[in-house]
Amino acid sequence: MSLTSAQPALLVLADGTAYTGWSFGAPGTVIGEVVFNTGMTGYQEVLTDPSYCGQIVTFTYPELGNTGVNPEDEESTHPHVRGAIARNISSRPSNWRSTQSLPDYLKQHHIPGIYGIDTRALTRKIRTVGAMNGAISTEILDPGELRTLVEQAPSMAGLNLVKEVTTKQPYEWLEPTETAWEFSNSATGDQEPRYTVVALDFGVKRNILRRLASYGCRVIVVPANTSPEEILKYNPDGIFLSNGPGDPSAVTEGIAITKELVKAEKPVFGICMGHQILGLSLGAETFKLKFGHRGLNQPAGLAQQQVEITSQNHGFAIDPDTLASDVQITHLNLNDRTVAGLKHKTLPLFSVQYHPEASPGPHDADYLFERFVQAMQQQQEQN
């Protein structure tokens, strides 16, 4: 992108640190929690992941936009990030699947971005001090004035953002992973669905739904405030708790609903926020991480077992000291030893803090969808 025609932009953090750069995407002013993602690919999936609602994402990979964007790689109907931060931006993509440049895509969706700043320095700042609120603006170029706006924004801790991303009406999902992209020999693909799964939508990604469908599930996606009685009227073989944005402890209605669903003793599988919601419903507590885990190469597992390289995106974690005696830790994040997976010792309940559907990321943990299907199959056989 030519700097001769670029519009100046300013990034200011809550502590007053300021970065001057150039605008890409839409003009304007946005405020959100500034975080970083270390993935080298998948920027479009990140931008459209509802879990990033309320956040301004720093991409640590120095080149952004080289492959453009396309409709097939969207994880939801539109981008959910408040803003984007990059080192270098390509406005002329080169990829056979591309239908639009990244700057034009963000303009279309009214998402501001800033580029030309030292994203390495910004990332080190966040890692040292912690994730904090910040603002991007093409309108307010005075750091002090922009900081005043940032100071008025609420903290991510205690913030319930699920209501901003959950579906308004129930809908059915039957579309599996496309044949050209299927990587698992265990997936049933286009075969007739064998199991009915109700997915509680805290901000679900499309590729999660595709993986469930690929393993033989008819998925009914319902709003996050759907009552347990309504959910059980579908007579589901299993219940899925999706990913989502914000502070899980603030999603009090979702926690209460899950507590009641657990009593039905049906198989339950949770991912990311769903993992946290399940833990909270079983009596555990969560806490905010200093800068979170957002990237495609997070190692998870237990020291004496196989390590999985996983895709992760979250800013909160379960406090292991608050887990009940009937709940077992199955995975740890091997970078900082935080809880990355759990299961109930007697009930068919399990969850992981990471994203086994990848998109973007590795496929090491795809087996968890098969495990969920096996749990539903076992219950069918018992009944």
Side-chain angles (χ1 to χ4, degrees):
M1 183 176 290
S2 172
L3 292 180
T4 58
S5 60
Q7 182 177 8
L10 177 67
L11 166 68
V12 172
L13 303 181
D15 67 355
T17 306
Y19 302 83
T20 57
W22 307 98
S23 169
F24 77 99
T29 302
V30 289
I31 302 172
E33 183 185 42
V34 180
V35 299
F36 64 87
N37 184 293
T38 60
M40 296 175 66
T41 62
Y43 55 81
Q44 186 179 353
E45 291 91 334
V46 169
L47 295 169
T48 56
D49 181 350
S51 295
Y52 282 105
C53 176
Q55 294 178 322
I56 297 173
V57 181
T58 306
F59 292 90
T60 63
Y61 189 69
E63 300 287 340
L64 207 66
N66 292 359
T67 56
V69 298
N70 67 84
E72 290 78 21
D73 286 349
E74 293 191 322
E75 286 298 326
S76 61
T77 57
H78 59 86
H80 288 276
V81 298
R82 293 270 174 85
I85 303 169
R87 175 59 181 170
N88 299 317
I89 286 292
S90 172
S91 58
R92 298 176 63 186
S94 176
N95 186 275
W96 66 273
R97 300 176 68 232
S98 175
T99 59
Q100 192 177 22
S101 74
L102 177 59
D104 287 344
Y105 176 75
L106 292 182
K107 283 179 184 176
Q108 175 189 338
H109 293 283
H110 312 292
I111 307 292
I114 184 172
Y115 78 100
I117 74 166
D118 188 342
T119 50
R120 295 174 301 176
L122 175 57
T123 301
R124 288 175 66 90
K125 174 80 174 180
I126 295 170
R127 282 182 59 89
T128 302
V129 181
M132 68 184 84
N133 283 340
I136 297 173
S137 183
T138 61
E139 306 163 315
I140 304 171
L141 301 181
D142 176 77
E145 184 180 351
L146 193 55
R147 182 184 182 185
T148 299
L149 290 181
V150 173
E151 290 172 343
Q152 297 170 6
S155 168
M156 186 62 73
L159 206 55
N160 181 357
L161 294 172
V162 168
K163 55 190 175 183
E164 295 188 23
V165 298
T166 189
T167 181
K168 305 303 180 187
Q169 299 292 333
Y171 63 93
E172 186 173 331
W173 185 280
L174 290 169
E175 175 191 322
T177 300
E178 290 187 23
T179 303
W181 298 104
E182 184 55 67
F183 51 85
S184 173
N185 294 327
S186 301
T188 58
D190 295 326
Q191 294 181 16
E192 192 70 21
R194 293 168 293 165
Y195 309 98
T196 297
V197 172
V198 172
L200 208 55
D201 179 16
F202 300 119
V204 72
K205 292 173 64 180
R206 288 174 174 171
N207 211 47
I208 290 176
L209 302 178
R210 291 190 186 102
R211 295 315 293 154
L212 288 169
S214 292
Y215 278 98
C217 299
R218 166 184 174 243
V219 188
I220 301 167
V221 185
V222 300
N225 62 354
T226 305
S227 70
E229 294 76 20
E230 286 298 314
I231 290 172
L232 294 175
K233 280 182 182 178
Y234 291 105
N235 191 28
D237 297 296
I239 295 164
F240 176 76
L241 308 175
S242 87
N243 60 294
D247 185 342
S249 67
V251 190
T252 53
E253 195 170 17
I255 297 167
I257 291 167
T258 304
K259 279 183 180 180
E260 293 302 310
L261 292 173
V262 164
K263 295 177 183 178
E265 299 189 4
K266 292 178 178 289
V268 175
F269 178 26
I271 288 176
C272 204
M273 175 166 278
H275 159 80
Q276 297 157 351
I277 293 288
L278 180 61
L280 288 161
S281 73
L282 295 174
E285 297 177 4
T286 55
F287 65 95
K288 193 175 190 301
L289 294 164
K290 185 175 181 180
F291 50 82
H293 306 140
R294 297 175 182 88
L296 315 182
N297 60 351
Q298 298 274 337
L302 295 177
Q304 69 274 24
Q305 298 177 5
Q306 183 173 339
V307 175
E308 300 166 20
I309 303 302
T310 66
S311 176
Q312 300 199 14
N313 166 24
H314 56 271
F316 293 81
I318 290 175
D319 181 351
D321 296 331
T322 63
L323 288 170
S325 58
D326 55 359
V327 179
Q328 176 183 341
I329 296 173
T330 59
H331 299 78
L332 296 174
N333 182 302
L334 299 179
N335 285 333
D336 61 8
R337 312 298 290 182
T338 52
V339 177
L342 58 81
K343 70 175 182 179
H344 197 277
K345 292 181 179 178
T346 58
L347 298 174
L349 319 172
F350 72 101
S351 61
V352 289
Q353 184 67 85
Y354 47 90
H355 285 260
E357 84 290 348
S359 189
H363 301 144
D364 295 26
D366 187 72
Y367 71 91
L368 291 167
F369 292 103
E370 186 176 7
R371 178 175 294 178
F372 183 40
V373 166
Q374 289 171 347
M376 291 187 285
Q377 181 181 356
Q378 289 172 5
Q379 187 163 84
Q380 279 187 356
E381 292 171 351
Q382 292 171 1
N383 295 337

